[in-house]
Amino acid sequence: MESKDIAQWKVALAFFAIYVVWGTTYIAITFGLESFPPFLFCAFRYFTAGILLFLIAKAQGHQIPPTKIITTASIGGTIALVGGSGLVTWAEQYIGSGHAATVIATEPFMFILFDRKLWRFYFSQKTIIAGLLLGFVGLVLFSYAAVPKAGTENMQLIGNIVLILSAALWVAGSLFSKRADTAGYSNVMLAGIQLMAAGIASAIFSGLAGEYSRFSLVNVTFEAWSSLVYMITMGSMVAFLAFTWLMTIRPPALVSTHTYVNPVVAVLVGWMIAGETFNAMQIVGLVIILLGVLLTKFQEYKTMPVFAKYFFPGRQKM
């Protein structure tokens, strides 16, 4: 629920974090992968950020939640962070950062497909059906026109499939985490628990994938260390924490608008910093995907005062 006591500048900074900071993490991952295997990179990122957030929460005097909440948060965090962000990191070995962010923009479609209780409503709305169809067309168009990284042409299709799977797992993990009644417990503490669990799971996956034998600490570049620090502090401790906090004080439809901004930020940053190129057909595909996401959320936006005030004034209650 929205609270009048919440300072608006804090809300604005939180939205900046999920809009812009999260958009820049895709290129940061690219630099991290120069020295770190994907799941080991995630293990360092998640566990370090989780420990720091946990210690901050303890220093602030927050209590550790009961076992049931810890279990739910850990499972949900592992599914969302390892299955979601972890698979994005794996896929970026073969796919550019802007490309990855654009495919991940399909997450709102996954919410619709996973929320079976509301299927009758969703599939009775023409705008939602049109949005799903447009999103699919845009995704196919963007992925078909994408130029793979040198030497990874055979992995292009697999990379795209993994990205779609990662979007689905992020949604599944987020929905699973909502099963626990976390009212009265510190958001910082809960985020720390989720991140620590995801870090441990990432370390296990890294071992199963044989990444330890391919990693050399002495060969890690300055750019890769910088990327890891950025992902720990800005990607996890700032942006992820901002996302979980906003989900408790603002409507999910409003928070999910970051899916419109992240790919645009990622594409621009990838072009400016890493020289990633995008052709006209990809840009058209990106626009189509974002339009599809907008249409699937159209009914929700009409009922929200913050949107109705400016875009649907005739629907406001007098």
Side-chain angles (χ1 to χ4, degrees), residues 151-260:
T152 65
E153 292 80 3
N154 294 334
M155 294 297 293
Q156 177 85 338
L157 177 60
I158 294 176
N160 280 301
I161 293 173
V162 168
L163 285 173
I164 294 172
L165 176 61
S166 74
L169 289 173
W170 175 270
V171 171
S174 299
L175 292 176
F176 186 89
S177 296
K178 287 183 174 293
R179 294 184 178 185
D181 182 8
T182 58
Y185 294 99
S186 166
N187 182 57
V188 177
M189 175 73 74
L190 291 168
I193 291 171
Q194 288 182 308
L195 285 162
M196 284 191 291
I200 294 171
S202 294
I204 294 173
F205 277 109
S206 179
L208 293 175
E211 291 183 350
Y212 295 142
S213 62
R214 306 198 306 268
F215 176 67
S216 173
L217 194 63
V218 297
N219 292 328
V220 178
T221 64
F222 174 78
E223 290 78 7
W225 280 123
S226 299
S227 168
L228 179 60
V229 171
Y230 184 81
M231 294 300 290
I232 291 171
T233 56
M234 303 304 292
S236 294
M237 295 184 68
V238 174
F240 179 66
L241 188 59
F243 173 78
T244 57
W245 179 63
L246 285 172
M247 287 291 284
T248 66
I249 65 167
R250 291 292 185 268
L254 181 58
V255 180
S256 71
T257 54
H258 74 86
T259 55
Y260 306 125

